[in-house]
Every structure is written in C-alpha cells, then in structure tokens.
Amino acid sequence: MIENAPEQPVADIRDPLSRQAFLSSHRALAVCTREFARLSDDLIGAAKVFAKEHDMEVPTVRKAPDRCIVQLGPVALTVAWLRNGSDSPAAGELLAIVWKGIIAPRGDHLPERLSARHVPPVPVQVWEETLVPSATSEASWHWHPIDLTREGYASPELATRCLEQLRTALDSMTPVAAPPLAP
C-alpha cells in the first residue's frame, strides 16, 4: 500500500450514480453485447445438452444480436435486450420469458394450397423476469432484477436460472403416468 494515498471507497453497484457512470459509456455497450452473446450461447448449449440427455429433438434456435429464442419441444424461452431510446446499457432492460406453446416454428416450407392450414395454439406465458445491467466496470457486470433489491446474476448464472424455468414448464406439460391398478 502506498503511504499517504487517499482511500478510494469501493463503488456500490446499487448506487445509481456509480452504475450510471460506467453503463453510460461506449465501453459498456461493447460489454453488454458480449454479455448478451454469452448468455445466449450458454442457453443454447444447455438446451442442446438437456435435449440430448432426455432423448428429445434438438431445440429450434432463432438468434439475432438482441434476441434469442430456444424452442424445446412444446415450451420455449425468449430472451431479448430492449433498448429504451438509446444505445446506452443504462437505459436498457433484459426480458426473459418462458412460454408453453410454439414460438419458433421449424420453418418447413409449405406451398400455398386452398385447403386450411393447421394453426398451432397461441403460446401462453408461464414465467417472466425483467433485469437491468449493473456494473461499475467490465469485471463487475451482472444482470439484476429490475428493482435491484436482490443479488444479481452473472450471465452463466442467469442462463442456468432461465433454463431451470424452462425445465419446470416442460415438466408441467409432461403427463404423469397413472399408478398401476392393484388386482
């Protein structure tokens, strides 16, 4: 430690001023883009592993710079980075939603016909969480529930949390086998 050096207090991530300083910078935009990509890649990888372990079809994935959709059988997870008027991460929100239903259809080509097409049922939302980025530097990046009252999640932790919600939705759709009748 350097003698006579003034003590620098550690910035509190819940302090709006320290959060805003870094999150309003151009550097934070690059970090946000990398963290969203990391979150998306972790979700896709974990969904593929889950599908393989449970002898399910490979998940359908739709990925864009600010959006990721993972369709795992009859359930889906959408994660989207919502920009609120600027490119600043301080003004944006991350929205994660788990759905029962088809969000990302397979994309099979069906030629136009006069007969009626099969229209799948409308998806139903079963879980939603809105998060905001919180960071005073690249190393301290976390996704926090919007009220900032709880501890935040690193991108891999948030991917695990979202996938747990997707598994819960999938389990609730799987019919439970009736116990065998006694003779």
Side-chain angles (χ1 to χ4, degrees), residues 5-27:
E7 269 189 43
Q8 294 290 331
V10 175
D12 182 7
I13 59 173
R14 294 183 182 158
D15 175 25
L17 295 177
S18 62
R19 248 185 93 245
Q20 291 291 111
F22 174 72
L23 291 176
S24 297
S25 70
H26 289 291
R27 198 167 135 228

Side-chain angles (χ1 to χ4, degrees), residues 68-130:
C68 179
I69 301 171
V70 178
Q71 182 75 49
L72 187 61
V75 296
L77 169 67
T78 58
V79 180
W81 174 248
L82 307 174
R83 300 171 191 267
N84 292 335
S86 74
D87 279 342
S88 171
E93 296 176 343
L94 181 75
L95 180 61
I97 303 175
V98 172
W99 305 86
K100 285 184 181 178
I102 306 297
I103 297 292
R106 283 264 175 226
D108 299 330
H109 175 67
L110 296 174
E112 290 186 32
R113 298 180 189 218
L114 296 176
S115 64
R117 287 179 42 187
H118 170 70
V119 178
V122 176
V124 177
Q125 176 183 331
V126 294
W127 176 80
E128 175 183 326
E129 188 161 43
T130 304

